[in-house]
Amino acid sequence: MRLHNAFFYSALFFLVGIFLSSVGVSVLGIIIFTICGAVTLLIRAFFASREKRSFFIYLAIFSFFALFGALRYESVDDDYIRHKLSFGMEQVIEGRVISNPYNNEKNTRFIVEAHGLDNGNMEVMAAPHEDIAYGDYVIIRGTVMKPPVFRESFFKKENIHGVVMHASISRISSNNGSVFLSVLFTTHNRIIETFYKILPYKKASLISGILLGERGGITDDFREALEKSGTMHLVALSGYNIGILVWAIEKLLRGMLKERVRLLISIIIIMGFIVMTGAEASVVRAGIMALLIMYSGYSERILNIRNALMCAALFMVWQNPYILVFDRGFELSFLAFCGILYAEPLFKNLLKREERGAGFLSWRDHISTTLAAQIGVLPLIMYMSGHVSLLSIFSNIFILEAMPIIMGLGFMLGITGFIADFASFIVGILLNVFLEYIIRVIEFFAFYSPTLKLPLTFLGMCILYAILIGLYYRFTRHKDMTYASLL
Amino acid sequence: MRVSYKVIIFILGLFLVVDFTVWFYLISRGHPNDLIVSVLDVGQGDGIFMKISHNTPFRDVDIMIDGGKGGLVLNELEEVLGFYDRYIDLLVITHPHLDHFGGFIDVLNFYKVGGVIYNGREGTSAAWKKLKNIIEEKGIPLIALHERDSIHYEKSVFDILAPHKHFLRGKDVNDSSLVMNFHDPRLTMLFTGDITERVESRLLSIASSSLHATILKVAHHGSLRSSISSFINAVNPRFAIISVGKNSYGHPGNAVIEQLLMRNIDVLRTDLNGRITIRTDKKNNVRIYKER
């Protein structure tokens, strides 16, 4: 078996191990599962032809990586449980603010890394407009509560060990955090402030979501419109944002700098963007993949996109094993990408993209991409909410063509906000026109697009994915789907 | 010199856009003698916008009485003011409770403001301190008004009926609310903040005759602790507006609504009707528009 395939299958089994642990299978259960799996594969190898035999033997060996996955999960889980906090008691806690505080009309919310006897991270909710920033050293007075049962997995994923509600806060000192993060969070806040200063409220909240994933300002009515029109993904940061960022960096810097310097600048910008936007799973995934793609270009090595995706997943799940099962953003992002990777070429083929070109508003490209991504996430969305927007393909065709311009103008507006009000005003006028267009499209489709309620159980979702995979292999069997290609 | 037709089309297009913008601006300004009061849909809280003109084009005055709890007020303000207009002459904070001043933090950040009026009572919350800091940093005049003060603009007058110094220092911050009777040849409207029956009783005893108004902004989001029957009798409004959103306090109280309906007063609520706009026409007729 070739090295890249060996990597793929061992990583796959590692993820299987993490998955089984996440859903509550004990280590012993996983050992039994692994041994049974390996034995089954070896028996299969015994009956297989010579060509296929080595493939099954390798798979049997790699299946033991599931055990490594389980051990990794257990070790992180032990570490989480080891943090002891005294729940239910009124306490005075000292600690450092380690997140960019989020402020709304109900409270100021931030995460504190507590120092002293009680050590662990706490989500603190204080009065609205509390004057707190990342890196502040604070004293918190309040009662530490256990994370609520229904949000336990979320808290585990975020590595938060307790919650302090109605906390009273006093600041001891400032600037105790990383300078890099401080600068990024200040930039993030300043850009959003510029949006609200220059643009109408609804548009400012939309561009904040599109560019920085900040959804706090979106009104309930508009959120509903986004859901109904199937365009909610616009305000959830996705790989698309990173894609456009990379494209813009390439366009701007190509020819100006040496390739190595360009790669370095790209890495810094992409990492900065990931951290600034709160390191959402979808952005981290896209960021890692973008870096791999750029590095492969730089080192002139052939990139296996399937392995790049697996590499991103492996890195992220190794860092935080909880995200595999408890982070919907992570799952949606990977499934959407798998959809695009495997199904988009089929749709493009079907629409005769190569012979006839992209068409008006690049509709052939957008239909293929949107359909492929939606097929990837559809079973999961049906399992999660049960709502399916029927005309979302059309709303996305009308919107996606304008997105690079909107994001470009959004970045420009964010930057000009640091330079001159007049410059941001000019950019703001242009951006306003494009955002008006997008809002009209969203509201039009929200009004006319019917939504279906098609709820699925967990088993139903698994079956649907199995059917989709089966269909894929059926449609592509005439191509290179041989055991040789898997080896 | 030959000019390409593309340049001509571009210039014509530019003129068209400018022309459209100017006309849109002029038309959307409304009649120069308009009086507009919009009770904004800011969720649970109060947020009222007034535009007062007196046949003086381009010299209308924009006033906001309370700003709701948070950023929602920005969206509402744009609906009534247009996004291009980022100047408000006067902000009035009836009392230092978050659901009345919280939105002003965003308003002060993103709008230019001529002055701020409050009751003189200082709040204790972090949000209040932030608001005061912004006002101070921007050098905006902050004026404390009390019972017997008044604000005049042409023929429009705001009579300040409360707070009395006794309530200003009292335990219940709600009772320190600025109570203002707005009167003008076109409309009278009573703004009551969050006063309870205690202040209502006092107002009945000292200023019963000055309470009458065509429109009543019902006190404290329709709370059962406010709007006593004798007070409603003294105001004797045609319309009662309750500024309220989703809440756990039980606002507005059924008894309050029944009292108003019993007197044939039309009741409008921001939680059910959305933004409520009151306009006067050329003949000084009062017209009320509901968002839903």
Side-chain angles (χ1 to χ4, degrees):
Chain A
M1 188 178 270
R2 283 174 187 270
L3 190 62
H4 65 269
N5 279 333
F7 163 77
F8 179 79
Y9 290 113
S10 43
L12 189 67
F13 278 110
F14 179 84
L15 295 183
V16 169
I18 298 245
F19 174 81
L20 291 173
S21 289
S22 305
V23 295
V25 180
S26 66
V27 177
L28 186 68
I30 294 170
I31 291 173
I32 295 167
F33 165 84
T34 311
I35 292 170
C36 290
V39 169
T40 316
L41 286 165
L42 286 175
I43 293 170
R44 179 75 180 83
F46 185 74
F47 291 106
S49 62
R50 183 174 292 180
E51 183 206 346
K52 296 173 186 173
R53 188 169 296 153
S54 59
F55 173 70
F56 287 113
I57 292 171
Y58 278 123
L59 274 195
I61 295 166
F62 293 142
S63 66
F64 281 89
F65 276 89
L67 264 179
F68 289 117
L71 291 175
R72 173 67 188 156
Y73 184 91
E74 291 302 322
S75 95
V76 172
D77 206 38
D78 281 349
D79 199 40
Y80 178 82
I81 295 164
R82 205 175 301 133
H83 284 93
K84 283 266 178 260
L85 298 175
S86 316
F87 295 122
M89 287 195 318
E90 175 91 24
Q91 294 182 60
V92 179
I93 303 152
E94 276 185 34
R96 191 169 60 93
V97 179
I98 56 167
S99 69
N100 189 17
Y102 176 74
N103 195 4
N104 68 9
E105 58 190 48
K106 288 183 189 132
N107 50 45
T108 307
R109 211 169 59 220
F110 50 93
I111 298 172
V112 164
E113 179 189 64
H115 300 157
L117 284 176
D118 278 343
N119 59 12
N121 295 339
M122 294 175 207
E123 186 181 56
V124 180
M125 290 179 208
H129 300 288
E130 199 72 63
D131 190 15
I132 290 293
Y134 164 78
D136 283 355
Y137 206 79
V138 288
I139 292 180
I140 305 155
R141 286 176 187 81
T143 310
V144 185
M145 309 295 288
K146 231 177 170 170
V149 178
F150 67 98
R151 290 184 73 202
E152 210 165 15
S153 50
F154 170 79
F155 277 84
K156 270 187 166 182
K157 175 175 77 77
E158 298 293 323
N159 196 28
I160 300 169
H161 307 93
V163 190
V164 189
M165 290 170 92
H166 312 296
S168 79
I169 312 287
S170 38
R171 185 170 45 199
I172 305 170
S173 63
S174 297
N175 301 324
N176 299 299
S178 122
V179 179
F180 180 64
L181 286 183
S182 282
V183 171
L184 284 178
F185 290 147
T186 312
T187 310
H188 172 273
N189 299 346
R190 182 76 189 270
I191 289 174
I192 287 182
E193 201 181 304
T194 306
F195 290 157
Y196 279 94
K197 202 169 161 187
I198 301 292
L199 296 167
Y201 184 84
K202 195 189 267 182
K203 290 167 187 160
S205 65
L206 179 61
I207 190 71
S208 304
I210 290 174
L211 222 56
L212 299 168
E214 185 71 48
R215 295 183 286 270
I218 293 171
T219 59
D220 292 345
D221 288 347
F222 193 54
R223 192 182 298 267
E224 200 182 324
L226 286 164
E227 270 168 17
K228 277 188 173 170
S229 58
T231 50
M232 196 64 185
H233 64 91
L234 291 180
V235 292
L237 286 175
S238 63
Y240 193 68
N241 299 54
I242 292 279
I244 289 177
L245 191 67
V246 171
W247 174 80
I249 296 168
E250 275 292 305
K251 280 267 168 199
L252 281 174
L253 302 182
R254 186 171 281 271
M256 281 166 65
L257 298 164
K258 277 185 188 164
E259 205 164 355
R260 184 182 293 190
V261 182
R262 213 164 63 218
L263 183 70
L264 198 70
I265 292 174
S266 304
I267 291 171
I268 293 169
I269 292 177
I270 289 170
M271 281 175 64
F273 183 76
I274 291 172
V275 177
M276 191 166 79
T277 53
E280 278 189 38
S282 50
V283 183
V284 179
R285 194 269 302 151
I288 294 170
M289 292 188 64
L291 292 178
L292 287 173
I293 292 167
M294 282 192 293
Y295 180 73
S296 74
Y298 167 73
S299 59
E300 292 177 351
R301 296 172 73 158
I302 299 163
L303 181 85
N304 182 329
I305 202 86
R306 183 192 68 173
N307 271 21
L309 187 68
M310 183 54 90
C311 186
L314 189 67
F315 174 78
M316 290 170 74
V317 174
W318 176 270
Q319 286 288 316
N320 185 352
Y322 299 118
I323 60 171
L324 186 65
V325 171
F326 304 134
D327 191 330
R328 291 284 179 246
F330 174 85
E331 289 158 3
L332 288 170
S333 172
F334 275 86
L335 289 169
F337 191 85
C338 284
I340 292 170
L341 183 62
Y342 293 108
E344 193 189 45
L346 299 181
F347 290 121
K348 280 192 172 166
N349 215 10
L350 213 67
L351 294 168
K352 298 190 168 46
R353 163 72 174 83
E354 287 302 313
E355 299 104 84
R356 298 185 183 170
F360 179 64
L361 286 177
S362 307
W363 69 270
R364 284 194 183 88
D365 284 351
H366 294 321
I367 278 196
S368 309
T369 314
T370 312
L371 262 179
Q374 288 201 346
I375 281 181
V377 297
L378 187 72
L380 182 62
I381 285 178
M382 283 161 79
Y383 168 64
M384 276 158 52
S385 69
H387 289 286
V388 181
S389 172
L390 289 182
L391 294 181
S392 61
I393 292 162
F394 299 103
S395 54
N396 280 293
I397 290 173
F398 283 105
I399 284 171
L400 287 180
E401 192 66 11
M403 285 304 281
I405 304 170
I406 285 179
M407 289 177 67
L409 287 170
F411 274 120
M412 274 169 71
L413 181 57
I415 293 163
T416 50
F418 289 92
I419 304 164
D421 276 356
F422 181 71
S424 14
F425 180 72
I426 300 288
V427 180
I429 290 174
L430 278 171
L431 183 57
N432 196 20
V433 175
F434 285 98
L435 286 171
E436 179 74 35
Y437 163 74
I438 284 215
I439 287 173
R440 297 275 168 182
V441 172
I442 291 168
E443 287 177 344
F444 176 84
F445 282 98
F447 192 75
Y448 289 105
S449 177
T451 48
L452 272 185
K453 198 161 168 61
L454 290 169
L456 268 187
T457 59
F458 182 75
L459 187 67
M461 177 184 76
C462 295
I463 292 171
L464 197 52
Y465 272 121
I467 293 172
L468 286 176
I469 294 168
L471 280 174
Y472 174 77
Y473 282 119
R474 195 180 150 68
F475 279 117
T476 54
R477 68 180 168 180
H478 59 282
K479 290 192 178 162
D480 50 353
M481 286 311 299
T482 59
Y483 281 95
S485 76
L486 295 172
L487 289 158
Chain B
M1 190 180 72
R2 286 186 64 190
V3 183
S4 95
Y5 75 97
K6 280 185 183 170
V7 175
I8 295 171
I9 288 176
F10 176 75
I11 292 169
L12 281 177
L14 204 67
F15 275 128
L16 207 67
V17 171
V18 173
D19 187 54
F20 175 77
T21 313
V22 170
W23 278 107
F24 176 78
Y25 175 71
L26 287 172
I27 292 165
S28 63
R29 285 187 67 82
H31 190 265
N33 197 30
D34 272 348
L35 171 64
I36 303 168
V37 183
S38 289
V39 183
L40 308 175
D41 183 10
V42 289
Q44 174 56 25
D46 273 11
I48 301 157
F49 172 80
M50 295 182 80
K51 187 179 265 299
I52 308 169
S53 355
H54 283 282
N55 271 324
T56 45
F58 302 104
R59 281 187 55 205
D60 42 5
V61 170
D62 296 332
I63 299 173
M64 268 210 83
I65 300 167
D66 286 334
K69 210 173 188 177
L72 267 183
V73 71
L74 296 178
N75 194 32
E76 285 287 293
L77 258 182
E78 269 165 26
E79 295 291 334
V80 293
L81 206 53
F83 88 91
Y84 42 82
D85 189 351
R86 293 280 174 117
Y87 179 78
I88 299 173
D89 296 271
L90 205 58
L91 301 184
V92 180
I93 304 164
T94 58
H95 64 292
H97 270 169
L98 190 71
D99 58 336
H100 290 255
F101 76 81
F104 281 157
I105 294 174
D106 288 319
V107 171
L108 284 162
N109 275 331
F110 302 120
Y111 283 74
K112 280 190 176 164
V113 170
V116 179
I117 283 171
Y118 79 133
N119 60 2
R121 180 163 177 156
E122 299 300 335
T124 50
S125 63
W128 179 260
K129 281 173 200 152
K130 191 168 180 179
L131 180 93
K132 290 289 293 274
N133 280 343
I134 298 171
I135 293 171
E136 205 180 295
E137 272 169 23
K138 297 204 167 191
I140 299 166
L142 177 68
I143 306 150
L145 293 182
H146 309 108
E147 189 180 293
R148 290 192 194 143
D149 288 331
S150 59
I151 308 166
H152 294 253
Y153 172 67
E154 304 268 341
K155 291 172 195 162
S156 303
V157 181
F158 285 91
D159 280 328
I160 315 287
L161 307 178
H164 180 260
K165 61 183 176 197
H166 167 70
F167 287 106
L168 196 59
R169 293 186 214 115
K171 208 173 166 187
D172 192 346
V173 181
N174 289 323
D175 277 338
S176 70
S177 294
L178 278 166
V179 176
M180 302 188 293
N181 197 346
F182 170 79
H183 49 95
D184 174 288
R186 298 163 289 185
L187 180 77
T188 51
M189 185 164 177
L190 186 68
F191 300 95
T192 51
D194 273 0
I195 56 166
T196 67
E197 55 194 324
R198 286 189 292 271
V199 176
E200 288 177 346
S201 303
R202 179 183 152 77
L203 287 172
L204 283 171
S205 64
I206 61 149
S208 177
S209 57
S210 356
L211 290 175
H212 173 70
T214 316
I215 297 166
L216 167 69
K217 199 295 290 179
V218 177
H220 202 181
H221 324 289
S223 160
L224 291 170
R225 288 174 58 222
S226 313
S227 304
I228 54 175
S229 57
S230 46
F231 185 76
I232 296 171
N233 287 341
V235 180
N236 192 22
R238 265 173 61 202
F239 302 98
I241 298 178
I242 304 174
S243 184
V244 68
K246 209 192 263 180
N247 66 84
S248 54
Y249 310 106
H251 300 328
N254 284 337
V256 172
I257 295 174
E258 276 164 23
Q259 275 219 54
L260 295 164
L261 293 175
M262 241 166 50
R263 290 168 174 80
N264 287 328
I265 299 166
D266 286 331
V267 179
L268 297 132
R269 295 167 50 168
T270 52
D271 58 341
L272 301 179
N273 305 120
R275 184 173 54 254
I276 297 156
T277 306
I278 303 139
R279 286 185 97 115
T280 57
D281 63 14
K282 285 177 198 166
K283 292 175 184 167
N284 290 352
N285 293 319
V286 175
R287 289 175 190 277
I288 297 200
Y289 303 90
K290 299 179 286 187
E291 191 185 6
R292 48 180 184 259

